[in-house]
Amino acid sequence: MEKSPSLSQDKGRLYIVGTGPGDIDHMTPAAIGAIKESDYVIGNSLYIEMLEPLLEGKEVIKSTMGEEIDRAKKAAELSKSAVVSIVSGGDPGVYGMAGIVLEMLERTGYEANVEVIPGVTAATAAASLLGSPLSGDHVTISLSNLLTPWEVIEKRLELAFSMGVPVAIYNPKSRGRPHNFGIAMDIALKKLSPDTPVGIVKDAYRDGEQLIITKLGDISMDDEAVDMHSIVIVGGEESRIWRSVNAERIITPRGYHRKYIY
């Protein structure tokens, strides 16, 4: 019987690193430490470029979108005898590389000395800029139908917006699927008031950061501001826009007002 490939437990290590929203200042010390320890750093070119100050003396392997499987295999192969970090934007376990790498290891039989290093997710990074839109129960959903059939996504949207909780939308609109976001907003309008707050955050904590706070009725009429660099948070039934002295923010009460006086 042919033996399964195996990673050396005393020499090799494979880190799956969440790099957060993009700014090194928002990476965890554990993520920075894993990259500094690594001999090789592998990842999408966009995320690799953001890590440039940490990469001196490292062997860097860049790839593009759509090459995730090859990236995972290369990282596993190298980690037989070296310390390798495969990087993933946000948190690697949320629409990131952890699932791909671990599934590949499972299917191929590699006994990897692997560790997943968490990171700040795109949704929580966007939420911090918007105020507190996700302070209680909420749903995250991706509108990309590259891996998930659109009819399944539509069903999930129906259920999510029926719950009356905030919904954070990943991958809202691209050139290849320009209409998915509009369909999602039509579904939301069947369940929520047109006055429901909506936050759009582009490039959170990166160069070119943009922040828009609007309402569901307005965004359903004009979604020109939304693209693949955006995270969109649609508020829930209790969400509201707070206009403070220097900014607008979205607040979703967690329920303290029902228990305490303040």
Side-chain angles (χ1 to χ4, degrees):
M1 181 181 294
E2 183 178 348
K3 288 187 176 182
S4 298
S6 177
L7 298 185
S8 170
Q9 296 298 305
D10 57 343
K11 294 182 179 179
R13 178 175 291 273
L14 176 55
Y15 292 114
I16 310 172
V17 182
T19 61
D23 189 321
I24 289 177
D25 289 343
H26 293 90
M27 290 175 63
T28 67
I32 293 173
I35 291 172
K36 287 183 176 180
E37 181 187 340
S38 295
D39 304 302
Y40 293 88
V41 179
I42 301 176
N44 180 281
S45 298
L46 173 65
Y47 303 126
I48 289 289
E49 289 167 8
M50 294 176 180
L51 300 174
E52 197 64 40
L54 303 176
L55 299 179
E56 185 176 355
K58 312 295 180 189
E59 187 73 30
V60 177
I61 301 174
K62 299 180 182 179
S63 61
T64 59
M65 294 293 289
E67 298 178 350
E68 290 85 359
I69 299 298
D70 291 340
R71 206 180 303 157
K73 290 180 177 178
K74 185 67 174 178
E77 183 67 25
L78 289 170
S79 66
K80 289 179 180 179
S81 58
V83 180
V84 180
S85 281
I86 183 166
V87 300
S88 185
D91 183 283
V94 181
Y95 306 118
M97 288 299 299
I100 300 168
V101 175
L102 296 181
E103 186 176 355
M104 185 276 297
L105 293 172
E106 177 192 39
R107 288 177 179 270
T108 58
Y110 274 97
E111 297 176 1
N113 188 5
V114 62
E115 183 177 349
V116 181
I117 310 292
V120 176
T121 70
T124 55
S128 70
L129 294 169
L130 292 170
S132 61
L134 304 180
S135 53
D137 296 333
H138 60 274
V139 174
T140 59
I141 190 165
S142 170
L143 300 190
S144 173
N145 56 341
L146 292 175
L147 301 175
T148 304
W150 178 248
E151 57 269 22
V152 174
I153 296 173
E154 281 193 292
K155 181 178 179 181
R156 291 173 180 174
L157 288 166
E158 292 273 358
L159 295 169
F161 289 123
S162 295
M163 294 169 63
V165 300
V167 177
I169 299 176
Y170 283 66
N171 306 311
K173 187 168 67 171
S174 70
R175 287 191 296 270
R177 41 183 177 77
H179 305 300
N180 290 9
F181 183 74
I183 296 170
M185 294 303 95
D186 289 342
I187 294 172
L189 275 171
K190 294 177 184 178
K191 311 294 182 180
L192 298 167
S193 164
D195 291 329
T196 301
V198 176
I200 305 164
V201 180
K202 287 187 182 182
D203 294 316
Y205 298 102
R206 301 177 189 172
D207 291 340
E209 177 186 282
Q210 295 181 40
L211 175 65
I212 299 171
I213 292 179
T214 183
K215 294 182 179 180
L216 180 57
D218 296 329
I219 194 67
S220 66
M221 298 294 291
D222 181 8
D223 61 12
E224 188 65 27
V226 178
D227 61 18
M228 272 294 286
H229 296 280
S230 307
I231 291 289
V232 179
I233 297 180
V234 180
E237 292 173 340
E238 293 189 273
S239 300
R240 61 180 183 267
I241 297 174
W242 172 42
R243 293 178 173 86
S244 65
V245 174
N246 62 348
E248 283 190 333
R249 293 180 173 86
I250 298 176
I251 296 175
T252 300
R254 190 177 175 191
Y256 287 102
H257 61 289
R258 289 189 284 269
K259 187 173 182 180
Y260 302 103
I261 297 175
Y262 54 89

